[in-house]
Amino acid sequence: MRADDNVCELASNHSGDPFVVLAFRLRKATMRIGFYSTMSGMPWGGSEELWSRAAHHLLRQGHDACVNYKRRRKQVVKQLTALEEAGAAVHLRSSVRVGRAVRKVMKALHLGQSPGKDWLKQSRPDFVLISVGFHTDETAITPTLRELGIPYGILVQSASPYHWIEGQRVAVEREAYAGADHCYFVSQQNQAIVETNLAVDLPESEIVDNPFQVSLDAAPAWPSCDKSWKLACVARVHFQSKAQDLLLRVMRQPKWRSRPVEVHLWGSDGGSAQQAKELISLHGQQKQFFVHGFTEGIEKIWRDHHALVLPSRFEGNALAMIEAMLCGRMPIVTDVGRVSQLVDDGECGFVAPAATFELIDDALERAWQRRHEWQALGARAATAIRQRHSLQPSEDFAELLLSACSGQRNAKRRAVAA
């Protein structure tokens, strides 16, 4: 029995006691929100920051949170541990890969057709947020949510025009998104990609901001540029999405080799770190490129670097760009995700229209010719991001979820009253 049920019973038995009635009214405002993450490729990533921080905020407000996350073999995800310690109920689901023949047998026997049902019946959330790290991720729990009559929303953190949901999955995912009470995207570009892929309009959608890991008053001192200009590429080393391979190719040109400029790669291995190191060695770029790995000291990075370079092929709303701008460092980026809304080309950064060799080279060249203005451009970037981006995105998103949850609860009450 949930706490809500206990209070309801208590209130009905002591309807004349004003203190019990007051406790009942206060308790009725408590929401229980479920969070279901599709993250599978890595233990944790930037896509998990918004929902998890919103969950922390809800818990601090006295609401309940329950989490469904993929189990990691022999890996403890510290962020999930932190949520448990804060009071969230964390369920780690198992995922067993089976062949096509086994799937057909399971379907014929109606086995595994309602994923998440046990978790949902036990947790009894008022509303469930499905956090989709990448738009091709499966939203397999949505039919179960609809079957149980539990309202849900979908948050999409990244979408790519180079990857498609195809075949029978189009109808399945279209139904998942169309059946959502709310859809949240971190950029209008990502929303357009999903709507085009699924051939569906999603009018009940909102654009939300991503959180960041630097202080609001971050202002690291400007580093010396007497010996070299230092660019930081802050992203997991993953050629397919972050396009460090293009950056390596561009910087291999004689003009860049002759200039006092360094590129420092800061980020975990997304699958391409070994290729990056081998390419650096193969083409003798050891004095140009430096691979450092992951670090949590974001502000420390910007004490030693002059600008961000992020030649992504696709993005949602890159946390690295937000953090760089907050720290007064201008971005050299491709026009993906939220870039066009947050960065004015030539005013507070430099934007390549797409991730191609020629266009990235052009953006870098334009930036290089104005390198003595980088500090001033970074100051403009710091002002622009504070004007155009929420400075409390987790809290704002938590309020959106509460609003969605409250709306559904009130709708149910009206239906019962009718």
Side-chain angles (χ1 to χ4, degrees):
M1 180 178 287
R2 284 175 51 178
D4 280 346
D5 299 327
N6 288 326
V7 175
C8 288
E9 183 178 354
L10 184 64
S12 64
N13 294 334
H14 301 80
S15 58
D17 190 329
F19 292 103
V20 173
V21 173
L22 176 61
F24 172 60
R25 287 175 177 170
L26 289 174
R27 184 61 190 174
K28 280 209 304 182
T30 299
M31 305 295 183
R32 185 170 181 80
I33 297 181
F35 296 90
Y36 181 97
S37 171
T38 66
M39 169 62 74
S40 61
M42 300 180 293
W44 195 261
S47 61
E48 309 310 289
E49 292 296 325
L50 182 55
W51 72 259
S52 62
R53 295 192 188 197
H56 275 290
H57 182 69
L58 291 167
L59 290 165
R60 287 192 295 269
Q61 287 189 317
H63 298 286
D64 298 325
C66 51
V67 177
N68 188 312
Y69 202 84
K70 182 181 177 182
R71 184 184 300 277
R72 311 297 304 187
R73 284 188 180 182
K74 301 180 181 179
Q75 285 182 308
V76 176
V77 182
K78 63 180 182 179
Q79 292 87 348
L80 295 179
T81 301
L83 278 168
E84 281 189 301
E85 292 173 348
V90 177
H91 169 77
L92 299 177
R93 67 180 181 273
S94 299
S95 57
V96 180
R97 290 180 176 270
V98 296
R100 185 177 300 174
V102 175
R103 285 200 301 271
K104 287 184 177 180
V105 172
M106 292 177 66
K107 186 174 182 179
L109 297 175
H110 303 287
L111 298 175
Q113 298 302 300
S114 299
K117 180 176 279 190
D118 290 342
W119 171 67
L120 291 168
K121 285 187 171 182
Q122 181 178 4
S123 301
R124 298 177 63 187
D126 297 302
F127 184 86
V128 172
L129 177 76
I130 303 166
S131 175
V132 175
F134 190 55
H135 83 281
T136 59
D137 291 354
E138 291 190 10
T139 57
I141 195 172
T142 55
T144 309
L145 288 164
R146 295 193 295 274
E147 176 189 341
L148 297 177
I150 299 174
Y152 66 91
I154 299 177
L155 166 66
V156 179
Q157 277 285 345
S158 181
S160 164
Y162 310 111
H163 300 79
W164 292 87
I165 298 170
E166 297 178 320
Q168 295 180 343
R169 276 200 62 214
V170 172
V172 173
E173 295 302 329
R174 181 191 297 141
E175 189 174 9
Y177 281 83
D181 292 89
H182 297 274
C183 290
Y184 308 97
F185 296 88
V186 294
S187 75
Q188 292 176 338
Q189 185 185 83
N190 281 195
Q191 180 179 344
I193 289 171
V194 171
E195 289 180 330
T196 299
N197 191 167
L198 299 179
V200 65
D201 285 328
L202 300 172
E204 296 296 325
S205 297
E206 297 183 64
I207 306 301
V208 297
D209 291 330
N210 259 336
F212 41 84
Q213 301 187 63
V214 298
S215 59
L216 285 176
D217 58 353
W222 186 252
S224 170
C225 49
D226 292 340
K227 293 183 179 180
S228 64
W229 297 84
K230 295 182 179 180
L231 302 176
C233 181
V234 185
R236 72 184 186 277
V237 186
H238 184 236
F239 288 175
Q240 186 180 70
S241 60
K242 305 301 182 181
Q244 291 97 339
D245 58 311
L246 283 178
L247 191 56
L248 282 159
R249 284 181 56 207
V250 168
M251 300 300 288
R252 200 178 300 155
Q253 297 175 89
K255 67 175 182 179
W256 289 111
R257 287 180 182 269
S258 65
R259 293 167 172 171
V261 59
E262 300 174 0
V263 179
H264 294 256
L265 306 184
W266 293 93
S268 59
D269 181 9
S272 305
Q274 187 59 38
Q275 292 100 312
K277 293 175 182 177
E278 290 174 353
L279 284 168
I280 291 169
S281 177
L282 177 65
H283 296 286
Q285 293 176 280
Q286 293 90 339
K287 293 183 179 180
Q288 274 187 310
F289 277 83
F290 302 87
V291 181
H292 299 284
F294 175 79
T295 180
E296 293 183 347
I298 301 300
E299 290 186 42
K300 291 181 180 179
I301 289 178
W302 296 119
R303 287 206 294 264
D304 298 321
H305 298 79
H306 302 95
L308 169 76
V309 59
L310 193 61
S312 305
R313 289 185 168 94
F314 55 88
E315 284 283 358
N317 184 19
L319 278 65
M321 186 183 76
I322 299 167
E323 292 162 350
M325 295 175 74
L326 285 168
C327 288
R329 301 297 183 264
M330 64 152 207
I332 306 169
V333 288
T334 43
D335 188 9
V336 291
R338 284 280 284 284
V339 166
S340 61
Q341 285 78 46
L342 300 177
V343 183
D344 296 324
D345 186 34
E347 295 295 324
C348 59
F350 295 88
V351 181
T356 70
F357 178 94
E358 294 80 9
L359 294 174
I360 292 171
D361 180 53
D362 176 72
L364 281 164
E365 183 64 38
R366 289 187 290 118
W368 178 255
Q369 296 304 323
R370 295 176 61 186
R371 59 193 178 279
H372 297 294
E373 299 176 50
W374 285 6
Q375 186 173 5
L377 291 170
R380 290 182 204 163
T383 299
I385 196 68
R386 286 173 170 82
Q387 293 174 342
R388 303 174 184 181
H389 195 280
S390 171
L391 300 182
Q392 52 174 27
S394 305
E395 291 83 350
D396 291 346
F397 189 55
E399 292 305 315
L400 280 178
L401 296 179
L402 286 176
S403 177
C405 191
S406 298
Q408 290 301 322
R409 179 173 285 187
N410 291 337
K412 285 183 179 180
R413 287 175 182 161
R414 288 194 296 270
V416 171

